[in-house]
Amino acid sequence: MGTTAYLDFNATAPVRPAVAEAMAAAMRISGNASSVHAAGREARRLIEEARAAVAGLVGADPANVVFTSGGTEAAALALAPRAPGDRLLVSAVEHPCVLAGGRFAPDHVETIPVDGDGVIDLEWLERRLATTPVPAMVSVMAANNETGVLQPVAEAARLAHAAGALVHCDAVQAAGRTGTDLESLGVDLLSLSAHKLGGPQGVGALVRRTRSVPVVPLWGGGGQERSLRTGTEPVPAIAGFGAAARLAAADVSGEDKICELRDWFERSLRTISPSAVIFASGRARLANTSCFAVPGIAAESAMIALDLDGVCVSSGSACSSGKVGRSHVLAAMGVSPDLASGAIRMSLGWSSTREDVERLLKAWRRLEERFAGRRQASVVAA
Ligand code: PLP
């Protein structure tokens, strides 16, 4: 057993060894990919190989992959009005980088409600798309970062296209973990991030279905990435993304093993803490994610105790700022603030083992025993 059990892949996945090797090799090349000499051509070759691998992961044409600094920038690049007055619809459970609406005016961004499991209300969407002003764009994520719940993206895209709207999908958590084929999803724009796949942090991509999907650059400059994202390309990061995408595409069988581990965790959790609530457990979810709360156990205390026991998980909220805040995802699902304040997310990935999960379960058992003691003491005191 290692010094820590890392069970926080939805925050970031450990870099795969082959990715680190690909990046180290790329760092030994001194060329700028725009230079015409041999070193420049070698850098360009690495970028184009990575572009093909990322395109392969989502069934896209490599010419339609634009490298960015990550999922946040990919969403910012996608979410722009194409004409004055354009409106955007986003699901209520999007990652904050989408929820903010990119370059749409804040009062032109509306949210699509979700049900108690965090799945979008397609009937609401259909009704809204039939009223004016018709939204110019709809953004629905493939898989939620907190609960892992999958959205009916293809159905939402069909409705949006029938109303003439463009469709963006944040596939940052889904790519490499479940089907994110561009054609099957039927979306126009797809955002990806390397660091959820075992690639490096600080690189991602916006993928277009066809060259005719309009993209409005965030800034101007030297014309790299077909002028859609100019600036000297970070060759080692892009090469690492390519290696991670290649490995993720080849590793689809790993999903079954991960699902078994997750299901075993949830069965054991229910034995240890019979009052545990596992969010969206009855719906199609990412195989690697479990988001749960036990009434009376605050996430903040649980996180500290688990950390002391060498277990890395996240609270079900605020995974970006490090502080425990109220989750807008659980709030949109109608989860009570009390229960939501106990939400913990554990997420598995390529390096996860049964020992990691066992360590979490042992730590959770200790925590439950402590809290059960306190619950009993408060009943006696009352
Ligand atoms: N979208 C989702 C669903 C995410 O989980 C994240 C990161 O946590 C992002 C977007 C942002 O990606 P990045 O960290 O590459 O900016």
Side-chain angles (χ1 to χ4, degrees):
M1 195 181 286
T3 50
T4 57
Y6 187 82
L7 295 167
D8 204 9
F9 279 68
N10 288 13
T12 199
V15 170
R16 291 178 186 255
V19 168
E21 277 164 33
M23 292 180 72
M27 266 187 264
R28 287 192 283 271
I29 293 168
S30 41
N32 180 319
S34 298
S35 301
V36 293
H37 49 59
R41 291 198 307 275
E42 183 58 6
R44 169 63 49 203
R45 183 182 66 77
L46 292 184
I47 291 179
E48 297 315 321
E49 276 179 13
R51 200 185 304 282
V54 170
L57 185 65
V58 296
D61 178 343
N64 295 329
V65 173
V66 180
F67 287 115
T68 64
S69 66
T72 299
E73 190 193 320
L77 186 55
L79 302 179
R82 271 68 179 173
D86 272 358
R87 302 178 81 89
L88 170 69
L89 290 184
V90 299
S91 91
V93 294
E94 295 294 310
H95 186 271
C97 71
V98 171
L99 206 58
R103 285 169 282 169
F104 283 84
D107 62 348
H108 282 45
V109 181
E110 294 167 57
T111 47
I112 308 166
V114 294
D115 65 17
D117 290 321
V119 178
I120 58 163
D121 183 341
L122 283 170
E123 285 175 14
W124 183 96
L125 178 62
E126 189 167 18
R127 279 197 308 276
R128 175 60 191 87
L129 287 165
T131 58
T132 50
V134 176
M137 196 178 223
V138 173
S139 189
V140 175
M141 71 201 317
N144 187 263
N145 42 303
E146 294 184 25
T147 63
V149 84
L150 306 181
Q151 297 291 349
V153 176
E155 289 88 331
R158 195 175 40 75
L159 294 174
H161 284 151
L166 278 176
V167 183
H168 166 252
C169 175
D170 172 351
V172 163
Q173 293 290 347
R177 295 177 178 160
T178 187
T180 44
D181 180 74
L182 201 52
E183 271 319 303
S184 320
L185 290 175
V187 301
D188 303 295
L189 293 157
L190 197 72
S191 291
L192 301 171
S193 177
H195 73 102
K196 314 289 183 182
L197 294 174
Q201 297 170 349
V203 61
L206 180 66
V207 185
R208 291 191 284 179
R209 184 138 67 130
T210 66
R211 284 286 290 283
S212 61
V213 175
V215 170
V216 188
L218 282 154
W219 57 76
Q224 292 92 343
E225 297 296 287
R226 298 174 198 270
S227 292
L228 295 176
R229 203 282 184 174
T230 75
T232 300
E233 299 93 333
V235 180
I238 290 174
F241 188 8
R246 221 170 286 120
L247 288 166
D251 196 18
V252 274
S253 59
E255 210 185 312
D256 291 348
K257 182 197 109 189
I258 283 172
C259 195
E260 255 173 53
L261 275 182
R262 196 271 312 270
D263 291 350
W264 172 60
F265 166 74
E266 292 187 347
R267 281 196 308 277
S268 310
L269 173 72
R270 288 188 203 277
T271 309
I272 300 168
S273 300
S275 60
V277 175
I278 300 173
F279 299 109
S281 61
R283 298 299 271 271
R285 277 182 299 163
L286 288 177
N288 79 320
T289 307
S290 183
C291 184
F292 62 94
V294 174
I297 301 186
E300 209 155 9
S301 325
M303 297 273 298
I304 295 167
L306 293 174
D307 190 36
L308 288 172
D309 273 331
V311 178
C312 303
V313 292
S314 271
S315 72
S317 58
C319 52
S320 53
S321 59
K323 63 182 191 297
V324 179
R326 184 153 186 231
S327 154
H328 72 279
V329 173
L330 299 179
M333 288 160 60
V335 176
S336 74
D338 254 14
L339 188 62
S341 70
I344 298 283
R345 177 191 68 192
M346 79 105 195
S347 48
L348 304 159
W350 67 267
S351 60
S352 299
T353 61
R354 197 174 166 90
E355 286 72 35
D356 292 332
V357 177
E358 214 159 54
R359 190 155 168 179
L360 166 59
L361 286 167
K362 274 192 185 142
W364 191 267
R365 191 182 296 280
R366 273 194 291 277
L367 194 73
E368 173 63 47
E369 282 164 4
R370 265 212 329 270
F371 273 86
R374 274 190 220 166
R375 275 186 216 120
Q376 248 170 11
S378 65
V379 169
V380 171

